[in-house]
Amino acid sequence: MGDSPSDVLIGDSGVVVDGSRIAAIGPYDELATTYGDRARLREWDGTLTPGRHEPHGAALLEAAYHPDPREADELGTEPLTGEALAALDMTETRWGASARRGLQRLLATGTTALTGPFTRPAVRTAVQRSGLEELPAPRPRSLQVGGPANFAVFAPDGTPLATVLAGRLLHRRH
């Protein structure tokens, strides 16, 4: 079981998560033998990566409104920008709710980090509570023993299968 950082784990590779950190990286079968009796095992047929970085996080969360599903008949389901956004009565409470829905969308794409800065207090709070890593700019990230258990799994066709932040499974494809 290796301790060296990795950008991508493919094939039969896996990680062991202990709390919010990565405890081990190595071949899945070896990890399952060593930790399986005291760990919950999950298997996905895909590539394990540090996840996507969204460089346009501020624009997606502070310059777009993500409608509530209950508003779908009136506003649709896609984010609203420009004139459509300007026509809405956007309170801090509404911005916070929109940001939480936008963050859910990002998690569903395998995003584990994004770029701000976030100037709206309700949006900033939603981002901080989400567990997504806020970076000033894209930078190389890796999976390493002792590092944060922030990663995503992607199917061979690129479809996100799972997103994990601080060791918590926050999105999975059914």
Side-chain angles (χ1 to χ4, degrees), residues 129-143:
R129 289 180 177 172
S130 74
L132 286 164
E133 184 179 11
E134 186 180 342
L135 302 174
R139 66 170 165 77
R141 295 175 303 124
S142 63
L143 302 171

Side-chain angles (χ1 to χ4, degrees), residues 11-100:
D12 67 349
S13 298
V15 297
V16 173
V17 174
D18 184 9
S20 64
R21 313 301 282 176
I22 294 176
I25 298 174
Y28 180 86
D29 291 340
E30 287 181 31
L31 296 175
T33 299
T34 303
Y35 297 93
D37 62 337
R38 60 186 190 270
R40 182 175 188 181
L41 299 176
R42 295 184 186 268
E43 262 187 271
W44 287 287
D45 184 20
T47 303
L48 183 67
T49 75
R52 287 185 62 251
H53 171 263
E54 177 49 69
H56 306 291
L60 289 170
L61 300 176
E62 294 195 331
Y65 176 70
H66 300 269
D68 185 293
R70 296 170 292 193
E71 300 172 310
D73 289 343
E74 177 187 351
L75 301 177
T77 59
E78 294 303 311
L80 303 175
T81 59
E83 290 180 19
L85 174 61
L88 298 176
D89 179 24
M90 292 301 294
T91 63
E92 275 300 298
T93 300
R94 198 168 192 189
W95 274 116
S98 170
R100 288 188 296 278

Side-chain angles (χ1 to χ4, degrees), residues 61 95-101 103 120-132:
L61 300 176
W95 274 116
S98 170
R100 288 188 296 278
R101 290 187 295 273
L103 290 162
R120 295 184 190 280
V123 173
R124 187 172 46 249
T125 298
V127 170
Q128 290 169 346
R129 289 180 177 172
S130 74
L132 286 164

